[in-house]
Coordinates of all heavy atoms in Angstrom, one line a residue:
M3 N 16.9 -6.2 -2.0 CA 15.7 -6.7 -2.7 C 14.4 -6.1 -2.0 O 14.2 -6.4 -0.8 CB 15.6 -8.2 -2.8 CG 14.6 -8.7 -3.8 SD 14.9 -8.1 -5.4 CE 13.5 -8.7 -6.3
Y4 N 13.6 -5.4 -2.8 CA 12.4 -4.8 -2.2 C 11.2 -5.8 -2.3 O 11.0 -6.5 -3.3 CB 12.1 -3.5 -2.9 CG 13.2 -2.5 -2.6 CD1 14.1 -2.3 -3.6 CD2 13.4 -1.9 -1.4 CE1 15.2 -1.4 -3.4 CE2 14.4 -1.1 -1.1 CZ 15.3 -0.8 -2.1 OH 16.4 0.0 -1.9
M5 N 10.5 -5.9 -1.2 CA 9.4 -6.9 -1.1 C 8.0 -6.3 -1.4 O 7.2 -7.1 -1.9 CB 9.4 -7.4 0.3 CG 10.7 -8.0 0.8 SD 11.4 -9.3 -0.3 CE 10.2 -10.6 0.0
A6 N 7.8 -5.1 -1.1 CA 6.4 -4.6 -1.3 C 6.4 -3.1 -1.6 O 7.4 -2.4 -1.2 CB 5.6 -4.9 0.0
I7 N 5.4 -2.7 -2.2 CA 5.2 -1.3 -2.5 C 4.0 -0.8 -1.7 O 2.9 -1.4 -1.8 CB 4.8 -1.1 -4.0 CG1 5.7 -1.9 -4.9 CG2 4.9 0.4 -4.3 CD1 7.1 -1.4 -5.0
R8 N 4.2 0.3 -1.0 CA 3.1 0.9 -0.3 C 2.8 2.2 -0.9 O 3.7 3.0 -1.2 CB 3.4 1.1 1.2 CG 3.4 -0.1 2.1 CD 3.3 0.2 3.5 NE 4.2 1.3 3.8 CZ 3.9 2.3 4.6 NH1 2.7 2.4 5.2 NH2 4.8 3.3 4.9
Y9 N 1.5 2.5 -1.1 CA 1.1 3.8 -1.7 C 0.5 4.6 -0.6 O -0.4 4.2 0.1 CB 0.0 3.6 -2.7 CG 0.6 2.9 -4.0 CD1 0.6 1.5 -4.1 CD2 1.0 3.7 -5.0 CE1 1.1 0.9 -5.2 CE2 1.5 3.1 -6.2 CZ 1.6 1.7 -6.3 OH 2.1 1.1 -7.4
T10 N 1.1 5.8 -0.4 CA 0.5 6.7 0.6 C 0.2 8.0 -0.1 O 0.9 8.4 -1.1 CB 1.4 7.0 1.8 OG1 2.6 7.5 1.4 CG2 1.7 5.7 2.5
C11 N -0.8 8.8 0.4 CA -1.1 10.1 -0.2 C -0.1 11.1 0.3 O 0.2 11.2 1.5 CB -2.5 10.5 0.2 SG -2.9 12.1 -0.5
R12 N 0.5 11.8 -0.7 CA 1.6 12.7 -0.3 C 1.0 14.1 0.2 O 1.7 14.9 0.7 CB 2.6 13.0 -1.4 CG 2.0 13.7 -2.6 CD 2.9 13.5 -3.8 NE 2.2 13.6 -5.0 CZ 2.1 14.8 -5.7 NH1 2.6 15.9 -5.1 NH2 1.4 14.9 -6.8
H13 N -0.3 14.2 0.2 CA -1.0 15.4 0.6 C -1.5 15.2 2.0 O -1.5 16.1 2.9 CB -2.1 15.8 -0.3 CG -1.6 16.2 -1.7 ND1 -1.0 17.4 -1.9 CD2 -1.5 15.5 -2.8 CE1 -0.6 17.4 -3.2 NE2 -0.9 16.2 -3.8
C14 N -2.1 14.0 2.3 CA -2.8 13.9 3.6 C -2.2 12.6 4.4 O -2.7 12.3 5.5 CB -4.3 13.8 3.5 SG -4.8 12.3 2.6
D15 N -1.2 11.9 3.8 CA -0.6 10.7 4.4 C -1.5 9.5 4.6 O -1.2 8.6 5.3 CB 0.0 11.1 5.8 CG 1.4 11.8 5.6 OD1 2.0 11.5 4.5 OD2 1.8 12.5 6.5
T16 N -2.7 9.5 4.0 CA -3.5 8.3 4.0 C -2.8 7.2 3.3 O -2.2 7.4 2.2 CB -4.9 8.6 3.3 OG1 -5.5 9.7 4.0 CG2 -5.7 7.4 3.3
E17 N -2.9 6.0 3.9 CA -2.4 4.8 3.1 C -3.4 4.4 2.2 O -4.5 4.0 2.5 CB -2.0 3.7 4.1 CG -1.4 2.5 3.3 CD -0.6 1.6 4.2 OE1 -0.2 2.0 5.3 OE2 -0.5 0.4 3.8
I18 N -3.0 4.3 0.9 CA -4.0 4.0 -0.2 C -4.0 2.5 -0.4 O -5.1 1.9 -0.7 CB -3.6 4.7 -1.5 CG1 -3.7 6.3 -1.3 CG2 -4.5 4.3 -2.6 CD1 -3.0 7.1 -2.3
G19 N -2.9 1.9 -0.3 CA -2.9 0.4 -0.5 C -1.4 -0.1 -0.7 O -0.5 0.7 -0.6
S20 N -1.3 -1.4 -0.9 CA 0.1 -1.9 -1.2 C 0.0 -3.0 -2.3 O -1.1 -3.5 -2.5 CB 0.6 -2.5 0.1 OG -0.2 -3.6 0.6
L21 N 1.1 -3.2 -2.9 CA 1.2 -4.2 -3.9 C 2.5 -5.0 -3.7 O 3.5 -4.5 -3.2 CB 1.4 -3.5 -5.3 CG 0.2 -2.9 -6.0 CD1 0.6 -2.2 -7.3 CD2 -0.8 -4.0 -6.4
P22 N 2.5 -6.3 -4.2 CA 3.8 -7.0 -4.3 C 4.8 -6.2 -5.2 O 4.3 -5.6 -6.1 CB 3.5 -8.3 -4.9 CG 2.0 -8.4 -4.8 CD 1.4 -7.0 -4.8
F23 N 6.1 -6.2 -4.8 CA 7.0 -5.4 -5.6 C 7.0 -5.7 -7.1 O 7.1 -4.8 -7.9 CB 8.4 -5.7 -5.0 CG 9.5 -4.8 -5.7 CD1 9.6 -3.5 -5.5 CD2 10.4 -5.4 -6.6 CE1 10.5 -2.7 -6.1 CE2 11.3 -4.6 -7.2 CZ 11.4 -3.3 -7.0
E24 N 6.9 -7.0 -7.4 CA 6.9 -7.3 -8.9 C 5.8 -6.6 -9.7 O 6.0 -6.3 -10.8 CB 6.7 -8.9 -9.0 CG 7.9 -9.7 -8.5 CD 9.2 -9.4 -9.4 OE1 9.1 -9.3 -10.6 OE2 10.2 -9.2 -8.8
S25 N 4.7 -6.4 -9.1 CA 3.6 -5.8 -9.8 C 3.8 -4.3 -10.1 O 3.3 -3.8 -11.1 CB 2.3 -5.9 -8.9 OG 2.0 -7.2 -8.6
A26 N 4.7 -3.7 -9.3 CA 4.9 -2.2 -9.5 C 6.3 -1.9 -10.0 O 6.7 -0.7 -10.0 CB 4.5 -1.5 -8.2
K27 N 7.1 -2.9 -10.3 CA 8.5 -2.7 -10.6 C 8.7 -1.7 -11.7 O 9.5 -0.8 -11.7 CB 9.1 -4.1 -10.9 CG 10.6 -4.1 -10.9 CD 11.1 -5.5 -10.8 CE 10.7 -6.4 -11.9 NZ 11.3 -7.7 -11.9
E28 N 7.9 -1.9 -12.8 CA 8.1 -1.0 -13.9 C 7.7 0.5 -13.6 O 8.4 1.4 -14.1 CB 7.2 -1.5 -15.1 CG 7.7 -2.7 -15.7 CD 6.9 -3.3 -16.8 OE1 6.1 -2.5 -17.4 OE2 7.0 -4.4 -17.2
L29 N 6.7 0.6 -12.7 CA 6.4 2.0 -12.3 C 7.6 2.6 -11.6 O 7.9 3.8 -11.8 CB 5.1 2.0 -11.4 CG 4.8 3.3 -10.8 CD1 4.4 4.3 -11.9 CD2 3.6 3.1 -9.8
I30 N 8.2 1.8 -10.7 CA 9.3 2.3 -9.9 C 10.4 2.7 -10.8 O 11.0 3.8 -10.7 CB 9.8 1.2 -9.0 CG1 8.7 0.8 -8.0 CG2 11.1 1.7 -8.2 CD1 8.4 1.8 -6.9
V31 N 10.7 1.9 -11.8 CA 11.8 2.2 -12.8 C 11.5 3.5 -13.5 O 12.4 4.4 -13.6 CB 12.0 1.1 -13.8 CG1 13.0 1.5 -14.9 CG2 12.6 -0.2 -13.0
E32 N 10.3 3.7 -13.9 CA 9.9 4.9 -14.6 C 10.1 6.1 -13.7 O 10.6 7.2 -14.2 CB 8.4 4.9 -15.1 CG 8.2 4.1 -16.4 CD 6.8 4.1 -16.8 OE1 6.1 5.2 -16.6 OE2 6.3 3.1 -17.3
I33 N 9.7 6.0 -12.5 CA 9.8 7.2 -11.6 C 11.3 7.5 -11.4 O 11.7 8.6 -11.4 CB 9.1 6.9 -10.3 CG1 7.6 6.8 -10.5 CG2 9.4 7.9 -9.2 CD1 6.8 6.4 -9.3
Q34 N 12.1 6.4 -11.2 CA 13.5 6.7 -11.0 C 14.2 7.3 -12.2 O 15.2 7.9 -12.0 CB 14.2 5.3 -10.6 CG 13.9 4.9 -9.2 CD 14.6 3.6 -8.9 OE1 14.6 2.6 -9.7 NE2 15.3 3.6 -7.8
Q35 N 13.6 7.1 -13.4 CA 14.3 7.7 -14.6 C 13.9 9.1 -14.8 O 14.4 9.7 -15.8 CB 13.9 6.8 -15.8 CG 14.7 5.5 -15.8 CD 14.3 4.6 -16.9 OE1 13.2 4.7 -17.4 NE2 15.1 3.5 -17.1
L36 N 13.1 9.7 -14.0 CA 12.7 11.1 -14.2 C 13.9 12.0 -14.1 O 14.9 11.7 -13.3 CB 11.7 11.5 -13.2 CG 10.3 10.9 -13.3 CD1 9.4 11.4 -12.2 CD2 9.6 11.4 -14.6
D37 N 13.9 13.1 -14.8 CA 15.1 14.0 -14.8 C 15.3 14.6 -13.4 O 14.4 14.9 -12.7 CB 14.8 15.1 -15.8 CG 14.9 14.5 -17.2 OD1 15.5 13.5 -17.4 OD2 14.3 15.2 -18.1
E38 N 16.5 14.9 -13.2 CA 16.9 15.8 -12.1 C 16.4 15.3 -10.7 O 16.0 16.1 -9.9 CB 16.5 17.2 -12.3 CG 17.2 17.9 -13.5 CD 16.5 19.2 -13.9 OE1 15.7 19.7 -13.2 OE2 16.8 19.6 -15.0
G39 N 16.4 14.0 -10.6 CA 16.0 13.5 -9.3 C 14.6 13.7 -8.8 O 14.2 13.6 -7.7
K40 N 13.7 14.1 -9.8 CA 12.3 14.3 -9.4 C 11.7 13.1 -8.8 O 10.8 13.3 -7.9 CB 11.5 14.8 -10.6 CG 11.8 16.2 -11.1 CD 11.0 16.5 -12.4 CE 11.5 17.8 -12.9 NZ 11.1 18.0 -14.3
G41 N 12.1 12.0 -9.2 CA 11.5 10.7 -8.7 C 11.7 10.6 -7.2 O 10.9 9.9 -6.5
E42 N 12.8 11.2 -6.7 CA 13.0 11.1 -5.2 C 11.9 11.7 -4.4 O 11.7 11.3 -3.2 CB 14.3 11.9 -4.9 CG 15.5 11.5 -5.7 CD 16.0 10.1 -5.3 OE1 16.1 9.9 -4.1 OE2 16.3 9.3 -6.1
R43 N 11.1 12.6 -5.0 CA 10.0 13.2 -4.3 C 8.9 12.2 -4.1 O 8.0 12.3 -3.2 CB 9.4 14.4 -5.0 CG 10.4 15.5 -5.1 CD 9.7 16.8 -5.3 NE 8.7 16.7 -6.4 CZ 8.7 17.6 -7.4 NH1 9.5 18.6 -7.4 NH2 7.8 17.5 -8.3
F44 N 8.9 11.1 -4.9 CA 7.7 10.2 -4.9 C 8.1 8.9 -4.3 O 7.2 8.1 -3.9 CB 7.2 9.9 -6.3 CG 6.8 11.2 -7.0 CD1 7.6 11.7 -8.1 CD2 5.7 11.9 -6.6 CE1 7.2 12.8 -8.8 CE2 5.3 13.1 -7.3 CZ 6.1 13.5 -8.3
L45 N 9.3 8.5 -4.2 CA 9.7 7.2 -3.7 C 10.5 7.3 -2.4 O 11.4 8.1 -2.3 CB 10.6 6.5 -4.8 CG 10.0 6.1 -6.1 CD1 11.0 5.5 -7.0 CD2 8.9 5.1 -5.8
T46 N 10.2 6.4 -1.5 CA 11.1 6.3 -0.3 C 11.4 4.8 -0.2 O 10.5 4.0 -0.2 CB 10.3 6.7 1.0 OG1 9.8 8.0 0.7 CG2 11.2 6.8 2.2
F47 N 12.7 4.5 -0.1 CA 13.2 3.2 0.1 C 13.4 2.9 1.6 O 14.3 3.5 2.2 CB 14.4 2.9 -0.8 CG 14.2 3.0 -2.2 CD1 14.3 4.2 -2.9 CD2 13.7 1.9 -2.9 CE1 14.1 4.4 -4.2 CE2 13.4 2.0 -4.3 CZ 13.6 3.2 -4.9
E48 N 12.6 2.0 2.1 CA 12.7 1.7 3.6 C 13.8 0.6 3.8 O 14.0 -0.3 2.9 CB 11.4 1.3 4.1 CG 10.2 2.1 3.7 CD 10.1 3.4 4.4 OE1 11.0 3.7 5.3 OE2 9.3 4.2 4.1
N49 N 14.3 0.6 5.0 CA 15.3 -0.4 5.3 C 14.7 -1.8 5.4 O 15.4 -2.8 5.3 CB 16.0 -0.1 6.7 CG 16.9 1.1 6.6 OD1 17.4 1.4 5.5 ND2 17.0 1.9 7.6
D50 N 13.4 -1.9 5.7 CA 12.8 -3.2 5.9 C 12.4 -3.9 4.6 O 11.7 -4.9 4.5 CB 11.6 -3.2 6.8 CG 10.5 -2.3 6.3 OD1 10.7 -1.7 5.2 OD2 9.5 -2.1 7.0
G51 N 12.8 -3.3 3.4 CA 12.5 -3.9 2.1 C 11.2 -3.4 1.5 O 10.7 -3.9 0.6
E52 N 10.6 -2.3 2.1 CA 9.4 -1.8 1.5 C 9.8 -0.5 0.7 O 10.7 0.2 1.1 CB 8.4 -1.5 2.5 CG 7.8 -2.7 3.1 CD 6.4 -2.4 3.8 OE1 6.2 -1.3 4.2 OE2 5.6 -3.4 3.9
V53 N 9.0 -0.2 -0.3 CA 9.1 1.0 -1.1 C 7.8 1.8 -0.9 O 6.8 1.2 -1.0 CB 9.4 0.8 -2.6 CG1 9.6 2.1 -3.3 CG2 10.6 -0.1 -2.8
T54 N 8.0 3.0 -0.4 CA 6.8 3.8 -0.3 C 6.7 4.8 -1.5 O 7.6 5.5 -1.8 CB 6.8 4.7 1.0 OG1 6.9 3.8 2.1 CG2 5.5 5.5 1.2
V55 N 5.5 4.7 -2.2 CA 5.3 5.6 -3.3 C 4.3 6.7 -2.8 O 3.2 6.4 -2.3 CB 4.6 4.9 -4.5 CG1 4.4 5.8 -5.6 CG2 5.5 3.7 -4.9
R56 N 4.8 7.9 -3.0 CA 3.9 9.0 -2.5 C 3.1 9.5 -3.7 O 3.6 10.0 -4.7 CB 4.8 10.2 -2.1 CG 5.9 9.8 -1.1 CD 5.3 9.6 0.2 NE 5.1 10.9 0.9 CZ 4.5 11.1 2.0 NH1 4.1 10.0 2.7 NH2 4.3 12.3 2.5
C57 N 1.8 9.1 -3.7 CA 0.9 9.5 -4.8 C -0.2 10.3 -4.2 O 0.0 11.1 -3.3 CB 0.5 8.3 -5.6 SG -0.1 6.9 -4.8
I58 N -1.4 10.1 -4.7 CA -2.5 10.9 -4.3 C -3.8 10.1 -4.1 O -4.1 9.2 -4.9 CB -2.7 12.1 -5.3 CG1 -3.7 13.1 -4.8 CG2 -3.1 11.6 -6.7 CD1 -3.8 14.4 -5.6
C59 N -4.5 10.4 -3.0 CA -5.7 9.6 -2.8 C -6.9 10.3 -3.5 O -6.8 11.4 -4.0 CB -6.0 9.6 -1.3 SG -6.5 11.1 -0.5
E60 N -8.0 9.6 -3.6 CA -9.2 10.1 -4.3 C -9.6 11.4 -3.8 O -10.0 12.3 -4.6 CB -10.3 9.1 -4.2 CG -10.3 8.1 -5.4 CD -11.5 7.1 -5.2 OE1 -12.6 7.6 -5.0 OE2 -11.2 5.9 -5.4
Q61 N -9.7 11.6 -2.5 CA -10.1 12.8 -1.9 C -9.3 14.0 -2.3 O -9.8 15.0 -2.7 CB -10.1 12.7 -0.4 CG -11.5 12.6 0.2 CD -11.4 12.7 1.7 OE1 -10.4 12.4 2.3 NE2 -12.5 13.1 2.3
C62 N -8.0 13.8 -2.2 CA -7.1 14.9 -2.6 C -7.1 15.2 -4.1 O -7.0 16.3 -4.5 CB -5.7 14.6 -2.1 SG -5.5 14.7 -0.3
E63 N -7.3 14.1 -4.9 CA -7.3 14.3 -6.3 C -8.5 15.2 -6.7 O -8.4 16.1 -7.5 CB -7.4 13.0 -7.0 CG -7.2 13.2 -8.5 CD -7.6 12.0 -9.4 OE1 -7.9 10.9 -8.8 OE2 -7.6 12.1 -10.6
Q64 N -9.6 14.9 -6.0 CA -10.8 15.7 -6.3 C -10.6 17.2 -6.0 O -11.0 18.1 -6.7 CB -12.0 15.2 -5.6 CG -12.6 14.0 -6.3 CD -13.7 13.3 -5.5 OE1 -14.2 13.9 -4.5 NE2 -14.1 12.1 -5.9
S65 N -10.0 17.4 -4.8 CA -9.8 18.8 -4.5 C -8.7 19.5 -5.3 O -8.7 20.7 -5.4 CB -9.4 18.9 -3.0 OG -8.2 18.2 -2.7
L66 N -7.9 18.7 -6.0 CA -6.8 19.3 -6.8 C -7.2 19.5 -8.3 O -6.5 20.0 -9.1 CB -5.6 18.4 -6.8 CG -4.8 18.5 -5.5 CD1 -3.6 17.5 -5.5 CD2 -4.2 19.9 -5.2
R67 N -8.4 19.0 -8.6 CA -8.9 19.1 -10.0 C -8.9 20.6 -10.4 O -8.9 20.9 -11.6 CB -10.3 18.5 -10.2 CG -10.2 17.0 -10.3 CD -11.6 16.4 -10.5 NE -11.6 15.0 -10.3 CZ -11.3 14.1 -11.2 NH1 -11.0 14.5 -12.4 NH2 -11.3 12.8 -10.9
T68 N -9.1 21.5 -9.4 CA -9.1 22.9 -9.8 C -7.8 23.5 -10.0 O -7.6 24.6 -10.5 CB -9.8 23.7 -8.6 OG1 -9.2 23.3 -7.4 CG2 -11.3 23.4 -8.6
F69 N -6.7 22.7 -9.8 CA -5.3 23.1 -10.1 C -4.7 22.3 -11.2 O -4.2 21.2 -10.9 CB -4.4 23.0 -8.8 CG -5.0 23.8 -7.6 CD1 -5.7 23.2 -6.7 CD2 -4.7 25.1 -7.5 CE1 -6.2 23.9 -5.6 CE2 -5.2 25.9 -6.5 CZ -6.0 25.2 -5.5
P70 N -4.8 22.8 -12.4 CA -4.4 22.0 -13.6 C -3.0 21.4 -13.5 O -2.7 20.3 -13.9 CB -4.5 23.0 -14.7 CG -5.4 24.0 -14.3 CD -5.2 24.1 -12.8
D71 N -2.0 22.1 -12.9 CA -0.6 21.6 -12.9 C -0.6 20.3 -12.0 O 0.1 19.3 -12.4 CB 0.3 22.6 -12.2 CG 0.5 23.8 -13.2 OD1 0.2 23.7 -14.4 OD2 1.1 24.8 -12.7
Y72 N -1.3 20.3 -10.9 CA -1.3 19.1 -10.1 C -2.1 18.0 -10.6 O -1.8 16.9 -10.5 CB -1.8 19.5 -8.7 CG -0.8 20.3 -7.9 CD1 -1.0 21.6 -7.6 CD2 0.3 19.7 -7.3 CE1 0.0 22.4 -6.9 CE2 1.3 20.4 -6.6 CZ 1.1 21.7 -6.4 OH 2.0 22.4 -5.7
Y73 N -3.1 18.4 -11.3 CA -4.0 17.4 -11.9 C -3.3 16.5 -12.9 O -3.4 15.3 -12.9 CB -5.2 18.1 -12.6 CG -6.2 17.1 -13.2 CD1 -6.9 16.2 -12.4 CD2 -6.4 17.0 -14.6 CE1 -7.7 15.3 -13.0 CE2 -7.2 16.2 -15.1 CZ -7.9 15.3 -14.3 OH -8.8 14.4 -14.9
T74 N -2.4 17.1 -13.7 CA -1.6 16.4 -14.7 C -0.8 15.4 -14.0 O -0.7 14.2 -14.4 CB -0.8 17.4 -15.5 OG1 -1.6 18.3 -16.2 CG2 0.0 16.6 -16.6
L75 N -0.1 15.8 -13.0 CA 0.8 14.9 -12.2 C 0.0 13.7 -11.6 O 0.4 12.6 -11.6 CB 1.5 15.7 -11.1 CG 2.5 15.0 -10.3 CD1 3.7 14.5 -11.3 CD2 3.1 15.9 -9.3
A76 N -1.2 14.0 -11.1 CA -2.0 13.0 -10.4 C -2.4 11.9 -11.4 O -2.4 10.8 -11.1 CB -3.2 13.6 -9.8
K77 N -2.8 12.3 -12.6 CA -3.2 11.4 -13.6 C -2.0 10.5 -14.0 O -2.2 9.3 -14.2 CB -3.7 12.1 -14.9 CG -5.0 12.8 -14.7 CD -6.1 11.8 -14.3 CE -6.6 11.0 -15.5 NZ -7.7 10.2 -15.1
W78 N -0.9 11.1 -14.1 CA 0.3 10.3 -14.5 C 0.6 9.2 -13.5 O 1.1 8.2 -13.8 CB 1.5 11.3 -14.7 CG 2.8 10.6 -15.0 CD1 3.2 10.1 -16.2 CD2 3.8 10.3 -14.0 NE1 4.4 9.6 -16.0 CE2 4.8 9.7 -14.7 CE3 4.0 10.6 -12.7 CZ2 6.0 9.2 -14.1 CZ3 5.1 10.1 -12.1 CH2 6.1 9.5 -12.8
L79 N 0.4 9.5 -12.2 CA 0.8 8.6 -11.2 C -0.2 7.4 -11.0 O 0.1 6.5 -10.3 CB 0.9 9.3 -9.8 CG 2.1 10.1 -9.6 CD1 2.0 11.0 -8.4 CD2 3.3 9.2 -9.5
Q80 N -1.3 7.5 -11.7 CA -2.3 6.4 -11.5 C -2.2 5.2 -12.4 O -1.8 5.3 -13.5 CB -3.7 7.0 -11.6 CG -4.1 7.7 -10.3 CD -5.4 8.3 -10.4 OE1 -6.0 8.4 -11.5 NE2 -5.9 8.8 -9.3
Ligands
ZN116 ZN1 -4.9 12.5 0.3

């Protein structure tokens, strides 16, 4: 049983924040249902009951606005 969700930036490793697991459960399910294990890139299941979601911080999002492919992904994760 997972207890908490931690969000970290996958570009610069900044910790963005955390949520109780219940609040983010649906997001986790959606990520896990992505094709071909793509969700594995965004989720890390820790032994201590935490789930780390690799997303993007504001700073990196701004710098990635010039790259349309990444921008689409960043919006989806928010
Ligand atoms: Zn960042």
Side-chain angles (χ1 to χ4, degrees):
M3 191 61 186
Y4 297 102
M5 305 303 290
I7 315 287
R8 283 196 320 135
Y9 291 88
T10 61
C11 178
R12 65 197 159 89
H13 297 282
C14 67
D15 279 336
T16 297
E17 183 163 339
I18 298 164
S20 61
L21 279 176
F23 182 73
E24 289 298 313
S25 302
K27 197 161 58 177
E28 288 178 17
L29 174 65
I30 300 285
V31 170
E32 277 182 37
I33 292 175
Q34 285 182 311
Q35 286 173 344
L36 290 175
D37 291 336
E38 295 168 12
K40 284 177 191 164
E42 305 290 315
R43 295 206 309 232
F44 302 111
L45 291 176
T46 307
F47 295 92
E48 313 285 356
N49 290 331
D50 62 2
E52 288 200 337
V53 182
T54 301
V55 180
R56 310 284 284 174
C57 51
I58 187 168
C59 70
E60 267 179 47
Q61 250 189 336
C62 290
E63 191 194 351
Q64 279 174 12
S65 61
L66 287 173
R67 280 179 197 276
T68 48
F69 301 98
D71 290 347
Y72 285 107
Y73 180 65
T74 303
L75 185 61
K77 291 299 284 184
W78 176 80
L79 282 170
Q80 280 177 350

